[in-house]
Amino acid sequence: MQLRRSNIQKLSQTEYDVLIVGGGINGAVAAASLAAKGAKVALIDKRDFAGFTSQQSSNLAWGGIKYMETYEFGLVRKLCMSRNKLMRSYPSTVKEIRFLTTIKKGFRYPPLFLYLGTLLYWFMGNGFTRLPRFLSAKRIAEDESIINTDGSSGGFEYSDAYLYDNDARFVFNFIRSAMNYGCVAANYVTSLGSKRDASGWSTQVTDDITGDAFNIRSKVLINACGPFVDKQNELAGQKTDHHHIFSKGIHLIVDRLTPNQRVLTFFANDGRLFFVIPMGPKTCIGTTDTQVDDPVTEVTAEDRAFVLDNINARLLLEKPLTENDIVAERCGARPLVVEGEGSGETDWLQLSRKHAVDVNQQDQHVSIYGGKLTDCLNVGDEISDLIKGLGINLPYPKARWYGEPARQVKQEFMHQARLMNLDAMTDSSSSEVLSQRLWRRYGAHAFDLLESIRANAKEAELLIENAEYLRCEIEQAARREMVTTLEDFLRRRSKISLVVKREDIKASPGLKEACEILFGDEAEAKWNEYFDSQ
Ligand SMILES: Cc1cc2nc3c(=O)[nH]c(=O)nc-3n(C[C@H](O)[C@H](O)[C@H](O)COP(=O)(O)OP(=O)(O)OC[C@H]3O[C@@H](n4cnc5c(N)ncnc54)[C@H](O)[C@@H]3O)c2cc1C
């Protein structure tokens, strides 16, 4: 809480080169890139960082194989390159994963034709991943016995990538590195609108925790409000070439369905793609694609029935999945870019998920539309190039603003971890050894955790059962991760509330201690706020 208090104070005291409104993936990469290159950056979000769309994705970094059907080969090539760049930059976080797709007899394309498509896809990705395989129905049944191959004409397997932890943590790590480079960021700060005068922008904001109102001054304003970009532009008097329409998607999280680490892909009864995706000790099933007018969405009984019916028809489970098996749900609306005024008549299922940036040179105003987690590194670089073009000095244009620390740093970390026998302290409920997990989550800051554990072995204890979080990690989160509500911690810094049932979290004796570490005197109030609110 100290970090947030201090940042809130700084927000009103300085004039920034750039104010970014919105801390989803687009705002986060813009902040990390600009701050590392030497701009004076501030970032605010009305919710928690990644607290809206960017916490609801399918956690996939993919080259957009499905856009091959609409012949968008340029986009597919670009997304494949973005995926490769992410995998190279974050080898512990963005990992290759196999996608096994089963095709029903009579589907609009035969499996062999689709397999040839995956080969082309593989070439377009420079052969960066393992080769695709063609699979007969018999082979699918042998490799993945939970798939119901009745009526299947076969299928194929190819590679893309996924975020091993979760999207929100991935986004937060960009916010955190932006802060390392001097960006002043704060969550739960709402922009009420911005005005431009001769010397720049003045944005009126409220601190939603204290209710205080103040202004933030900046030369340039970046609108990275995701689904709310259009609304925010109205409040700043900006007219743009693009606007958003929304496609709702949901995911249901259930106990792990198969021990194999691969994504299972099916076509639902209505022809849409849906996935069975590994998520730590659980499985995540989704997604849907439904056009909605309002980006604030929720999972409806109809959505649940659609996903459960489709999955039960395609898997051979001991017992069909029911609503009682759902551990947690995710629901969000993809902001899709359309040019001009667009309309509801757009064939939105065919709309590709590319991004667009509108720049008002005269007003020094930038709006980021659409986008994907997959393409985030390009968005960060593109935004800093544009901001330079608006006259902001970037003294370190070549600064490296993304990626895991260098290989030697990792080797040194692993060496120290081995010497203190860290992995032997891994709890039996964990899905991987401690050294791997700590390195992936914290990079070079994982050294501080080793230091804590060396000083006191109790620091390596799990505080919440099945949660894969040690006492020393929670202490570090309290210092460095601007955890403002208990939900920030349970849902976004960690994925505890996605993989542990709510009643089990509530009953966990360690949660109260975690709250004390995170919130001090406010521990009980924050605990009540979380459990009373849902
Ligand atoms: C179901 C689903 C599945 C998806 N799967 C994938 C996938 O597998 N791979 C992939 O690459 N992409 C995927 N996407 C797309 C991707 O998640 C989104 O494109 C991306 O997260 C959008 O990020 P953003 O930063 O533009 O928006 P957001 O994450 O919504 O961020 C905008 C932020 O602005 C803040 N804000 C709004 N108004 C204000 C205000 N007045 N003041 C201050 N802050 C404000 C919001 O609180 C929010 O945090 C998926 C999307 C959905 C919905």
Side-chain angles (χ1 to χ4, degrees), residues 315-513:
L315 297 184
L316 299 169
L317 301 170
E318 273 175 29
K319 276 195 304 145
L321 287 174
T322 69
E323 289 196 9
N324 293 335
D325 296 305
I326 300 171
V327 177
E329 298 178 336
R330 291 157 71 97
C331 179
R334 291 181 184 84
L336 304 176
V337 199
V338 288
E339 226 177 312
E341 280 311 301
S343 77
E345 287 153 32
T346 318
D347 186 358
W348 57 278
L349 264 183
Q350 300 294 332
L351 271 179
S352 53
R353 277 55 167 155
K354 51 190 167 197
H355 72 270
V357 182
D358 279 15
V359 184
N360 181 338
Q361 288 276 348
Q362 200 187 350
D363 287 356
Q364 294 188 294
H365 186 278
V366 171
S367 312
I368 313 176
Y369 281 92
K372 295 172 70 66
L373 295 157
T374 315
D375 208 17
C376 65
L377 302 183
N378 294 332
V379 172
D381 277 328
E382 184 180 337
I383 296 297
S384 56
D385 288 349
L386 286 169
I387 296 302
K388 197 167 163 220
L390 293 178
I392 300 297
N393 180 29
L394 299 180
Y396 309 102
K398 298 242 174 312
R400 183 173 179 269
W401 61 274
Y402 58 82
E404 289 178 13
R407 192 143 39 109
Q408 297 86 321
V409 185
K410 180 173 181 181
Q411 279 166 355
E412 175 61 21
F413 173 79
M414 290 298 168
H415 187 54
Q416 289 193 21
R418 242 187 329 269
L419 291 176
M420 64 191 276
N421 216 3
L422 180 75
D423 289 346
M425 301 177 204
T426 310
D427 189 83
S428 58
S429 65
S430 295
S431 60
E432 62 184 330
V433 291
L434 273 177
S435 56
Q436 266 179 33
R437 181 162 68 67
L438 297 184
W439 174 259
R440 190 183 57 251
R441 269 189 202 157
Y442 308 105
H445 284 278
F447 283 100
D448 301 342
L449 301 176
L450 297 188
E451 191 54 35
S452 302
I453 296 169
R454 274 193 290 260
N456 180 357
K458 277 175 82 70
E459 295 289 334
E461 283 173 6
L462 270 192
L463 270 192
I464 306 165
E465 266 177 55
N466 299 315
E468 303 202 54
Y469 245 80
L470 309 181
R471 180 177 279 108
C472 58
E473 290 179 86
I474 296 175
E475 283 168 2
Q476 181 161 280
R479 275 195 315 278
R480 302 190 73 244
E481 298 190 354
M482 210 178 282
V483 176
T484 305
T485 70
L486 184 52
E487 198 199 328
D488 300 345
F489 173 66
L490 292 174
R491 173 67 174 83
R492 287 173 289 274
R493 306 299 179 275
S494 74
K495 56 173 187 268
I496 295 172
S497 66
L498 293 176
V499 297
V500 182
K501 277 200 159 166
R502 193 176 165 79
E503 53 269 29
D504 295 337
I505 300 177
K506 194 171 183 180
S508 158
L511 183 63
K512 292 247 155 110
E513 188 185 338

Side-chain angles (χ1 to χ4, degrees), residues 25-26 45-47 53-54 58 60 191 227 232 371 373-374:
I25 187 65
N26 286 341
D45 198 297
K46 175 185 172 124
R47 302 173 176 81
T53 325
S54 297
S58 305
L60 301 174
S191 156
Q232 194 61 26
L373 295 157
T374 315

Side-chain angles (χ1 to χ4, degrees), residues 44 51 57 63 105 124 203 222 237 240 262 269 281 290 304 320 327 332 335 341 348 353 369 384 441 444 513:
I44 54 167
S57 82
K105 282 183 187 141
M124 290 174 87
T203 299
I222 298 183
T240 49
R262 53 159 80 93
N269 297 338
T290 322
R304 272 182 217 109
V327 177
E341 280 311 301
W348 57 278
R353 277 55 167 155
Y369 281 92
S384 56
R441 269 189 202 157
E513 188 185 338

